[in-house]
Amino acid sequence: MKVAFIACLGFLIIMLGDAGFARTTEQVPRPAESGFYAPYKIINVFLRAVNRGELIIFDQILDESMLIPLRVEYIYELDSNNQSVKVYSELMQPLPLPVPSGQTLIFHGVSAVLNAKGHIIEVEAHVWPRE
């Protein structure tokens, strides 16, 4: 009886540890009660959304090769149960943006908010005046 129990327990441990049995989703991982999921999982979800063409700034689709992800921010809405994450990335090569006043602005970074399904739902451009 003990041998069968140990064999079943060993089989169960092997199955749970095998990545092939793990369920893969396109959802943004939710922070656990005891802490945050690894930010690199969030970065991977963000980059999948970028590769689907969801990151559009100034009528230009940005791709993964243009970005350096640097920060993950976890957002909790205080008046609801809504949770989301924001990924801040800098551009590999900042882009100049001429404006009507003649001044040139530099587009150097982007923040993207991901929903629970891993889609980009909000984008902020980080633009500074040229010094």
Side-chain angles (χ1 to χ4, degrees), residues 3 16 21 33 37 42 49 58-59 65-66 81-82 108 116 123:
V3 174
L16 292 175
F21 286 95
E33 287 183 9
Y37 280 96
I42 301 296
F58 304 118
D59 296 326
S65 69
M66 302 170 76
N81 277 341
N82 293 340
H108 70 91
V123 177

Side-chain angles (χ1 to χ4, degrees), residues 19-74:
F21 286 95
R23 186 172 63 109
T24 306
T25 66
E26 286 284 320
Q27 293 187 345
V28 175
R30 296 277 187 189
E33 287 183 9
S34 61
F36 297 120
Y37 280 96
Y40 295 102
K41 290 182 182 180
I42 301 296
I43 295 297
N44 288 333
V45 172
F46 166 71
L47 292 176
R48 284 196 300 267
V50 169
N51 290 333
R52 287 191 303 263
E54 295 182 17
L55 186 57
I56 303 170
I57 296 275
F58 304 118
D59 296 326
Q60 179 178 355
I61 298 174
L62 302 182
D63 63 53
E64 182 177 350
S65 69
M66 302 170 76
L67 303 171
I68 304 168
L70 296 177
R71 184 172 58 235
V72 173
E73 302 172 24
Y74 298 88

Side-chain angles (χ1 to χ4, degrees), residues 46-120:
F46 166 71
L47 292 176
R48 284 196 300 267
V50 169
N51 290 333
R52 287 191 303 263
E54 295 182 17
L55 186 57
I56 303 170
I57 296 275
F58 304 118
D59 296 326
Q60 179 178 355
I61 298 174
L62 302 182
D63 63 53
E64 182 177 350
S65 69
M66 302 170 76
L67 303 171
I68 304 168
L70 296 177
R71 184 172 58 235
V72 173
E73 302 172 24
Y74 298 88
I75 304 166
Y76 297 93
E77 298 290 334
L78 297 177
D79 60 350
S80 69
N81 277 341
N82 293 340
Q83 298 175 6
S84 56
V85 290
K86 183 188 291 187
V87 176
Y88 170 74
S89 301
E90 288 186 354
L91 296 178
M92 293 279 268
Q93 182 66 42
L95 301 172
L97 299 171
V99 292
S101 67
Q103 181 183 19
T104 299
L105 302 175
I106 303 297
F107 171 39
H108 70 91
V110 63
S111 291
V113 176
L114 300 167
N115 67 9
K117 294 184 179 182
H119 295 285
I120 296 173

